[in-house]
Amino acid sequence: MHLAVFLLASTLSAITFALDNGEMRTPPMGWLAWERFRCDIDCKNDPKNCISENLFIDMADRLAEDGWRELGYTYVNIDDCWASMERDENGRLQADPKRFPGGIPRLSRYMHDRGLKLGIYGDMGTHTCGGYPGTPLDKIEVDAQTFADWEVDMLKFDGCYSNASEQEKGYPLMSKALNATGRPIGYSCSWPAYQGGLPPKVNYTQLGEICNLWRNYGDIQDSWGSVLSIADWFFENQDILIPAAGPGRWNDPDMLVVGDFGLSMDQSRSQMALWAIMAAPLFMSNDLRTISSGARNILQNKMIISINQDPMGIQGRRIVKEKSHIEVFWRSLSNGASALVFFSRRTDMPYRYQTSLSKLNYTTGSYKIYDVYTDQTTMLKDTTNFVVSVNPTGVVMWYVSAPAKLHERHFYKSGNLMESVHRGDENTIPRVFL
Ligand code: GLA
C-alpha cells in the first residue's frame, strides 16, 4: 500500500519535474553557423566559407585562441546542410562525406580536445528547412542515439516539414530519447516558433520541462530592422515569456549578428545589451577570423557577459516607454544588484534623458553605478536627478550595485569615525512598475 503510494507520487513528480539534464544552468554561449554562413555548400569555389569541417575547425581555433572560450563562448554549433542526402545502410544520418571527411565524431573530438563543445542541427519532420533529411517520428530514437554516439553536446531541433500533432509528439519524444542515451545533450527546441502566437497555443511550462532553450520567434537577419523587431516582440510579450525562463530553460531570441555587416557600432552595443537583459543564449553568427576589434570588444565585454550569465537566471523586462522614444530596461541580478539599459529608438541625435533611480522604482539608498561600455563608476542617490546621453539606436548600460546601507549612525570621537551602525534596508531589489 505504502509502496503503491510512493510509486504513484514518484511517477507524478517525474511527470511534472523540469528537464533535469543538468545542462545550461546559465544561458549557453558560443558560435552558430546559420545566420552568417547559411547553406553555402560550394566548397569548390568558396572553400573558406562553405559548410564543411574546415569552417568549424577554423571557428574552434579562434574561440580557443582569441580569448572567447575563457569568457564562456564554448559551443561550436553546426546548423543546417551538414548531412548527406541519404541515410546510411543502417538508417542512420551521416555527414556529407566530401565536406565532412572525418564525420561528426572527428569534429566533436576536436572540440573536446580544446575545452569546447559541439552542437548539431536536426529537424522534427521529413526534411530540414534546407531540404536535407529530417527526423520523422519513427527516427527520433535512432537519431538521438546517433548524436550521442558521435559525442555531440547540443541539439537544435528545427520544425520544418511536420504538422502540429507530429510536433506535439516529436519534441517531447526527442527530449526523452536524448535523456535515455545517458549523454548530457543540451536541447534547443524550435517548436514555439512553429506554433505561432502566444498561449494558449504555446505551453511554456511544458517547454521548460522538456527543452533547455527554445526559439520563440522568426529568424534573425543581418539588419537593425530585424534585431529591433525581435527585441520588440520579446518585450511586448514579456509578461508571458519572463516566467518561462530560468536556470536550464531559456527563451531564445536567436543569434547575435554583432560583427557582421548590418549593424552600426551603436546598434551592436544595443543588441548585446538587450540580449543580456533578456538572459538570452549568446550564440554569435559571424566570422571570427576577420571580426573587427570594435565588434570583438562588445562581444567580449566581461561585465555584460556576467550580467547575461547571472546565476539567478531571472529574465529582465522593459520598465519604461517614453513618448520621447526612450525606453528603459531592467534586470534583477544576484547580490541585490541590477542592470539598467537606456535605449533610444530615435533617429536624430544623442538624446539627453533625465530621470532618477527612484523614478525607476529603486528603493531609498545610495547606489554605485558602473557604466559597462565606458568603464566609469559613480555614486548616485535614489532621489538625485541624472541625465544619460543616449545615441540614436544606441544604449547606455549600467550595472547597479546593491545600495549602501542607509540610516548609518556615525559616532565621532575627536573628529575620527569610530564606528558606524547599519540598520535595515535589506529590501534592495527595486519593484517593477510597468
Ligand atoms: C530555420 C531556422 C534557422 C535555420 C534554418 C536552416 O529557418 O529557424 O535558424 O536553422 O532553418 O535551414
Side-chain angles (χ1 to χ4, degrees), residues 32 34-35 38-39 79-81 121 123 128-131 156 158-160 190 193-194 215 217-220 254-255:
L32 176 54
W34 181 255
E35 196 291 316
R38 307 283 169 150
C39 196
D79 206 271
D80 205 349
C81 311
Y121 167 98
D123 186 286
T128 70
C129 300
K156 170 175 167 182
D158 214 340
C160 278
S190 297
Y194 289 88
R215 283 280 311 283
Y217 192 62
D219 291 1
I220 202 159
D254 212 1
M255 293 157 269

Side-chain angles (χ1 to χ4, degrees), residues 29-33 63 68 73 255-258 260 282-286 288 291 299:
M29 298 171 63
W31 184 90
L32 176 54
L63 288 178
W68 301 97
Y73 291 98
M255 293 157 269
L256 292 165
V257 291
V258 175
D260 292 314
L282 299 180
F283 287 110
M284 308 179 279
S285 191
N286 51 18
L288 297 173
I291 191 168
L299 293 163

Side-chain angles (χ1 to χ4, degrees), residues 221-281:
Q221 311 293 340
D222 189 7
S223 78
W224 175 241
S226 170
V227 171
L228 191 57
S229 71
I230 290 173
D232 281 345
W233 188 88
F234 276 79
F235 288 110
E236 267 145 37
N237 294 299
Q238 61 187 1
D239 290 333
I240 290 155
L241 300 178
I242 288 169
R249 49 192 173 92
W250 311 103
N251 294 299
D252 180 6
D254 212 1
M255 293 157 269
L256 292 165
V257 291
V258 175
D260 292 314
F261 308 99
L263 305 190
S264 70
M265 278 299 133
D266 273 295
Q267 292 160 353
S268 302
R269 282 189 275 271
S270 297
Q271 191 190 18
M272 188 70 182
L274 294 175
W275 264 233
I277 290 288
M278 284 190 278

Side-chain angles (χ1 to χ4, degrees), residues 283-356:
F283 287 110
M284 308 179 279
S285 191
N286 51 18
D287 191 341
L288 297 173
R289 299 167 299 197
T290 56
I291 191 168
S292 71
S293 59
R296 181 196 315 239
N297 288 342
I298 293 168
L299 293 163
Q300 294 194 344
N301 185 301
K302 283 194 180 142
M303 201 60 183
I304 304 185
I305 291 172
S306 83
I307 290 168
N308 172 268
Q309 295 287 300
D310 185 84
M312 291 204 306
I314 299 174
Q315 183 173 331
R317 58 170 55 242
R318 180 163 59 198
I319 55 169
V320 177
K321 239 174 133 173
E322 300 280 9
K323 282 200 195 78
S324 60
H325 298 297
I326 299 295
E327 296 180 359
V328 186
F329 301 84
W330 169 80
R331 180 173 170 190
S332 175
L333 303 171
S334 308
N335 304 320
S338 57
L340 277 175
V341 168
F342 305 91
F343 169 59
S344 170
R345 309 178 73 91
R346 299 175 69 94
T347 52
D348 51 358
M349 62 187 288
Y351 186 80
R352 292 172 55 75
Y353 178 61
Q354 184 179 320
T355 187
S356 68

Side-chain angles (χ1 to χ4, degrees), residues 17 58 88 175 238 241 301 303 356 387 426:
F17 269 3
D58 277 359
D88 73 9
S175 180
Q238 61 187 1
L241 300 178
N301 185 301
M303 201 60 183
S356 68
V387 170
E426 302 308 325

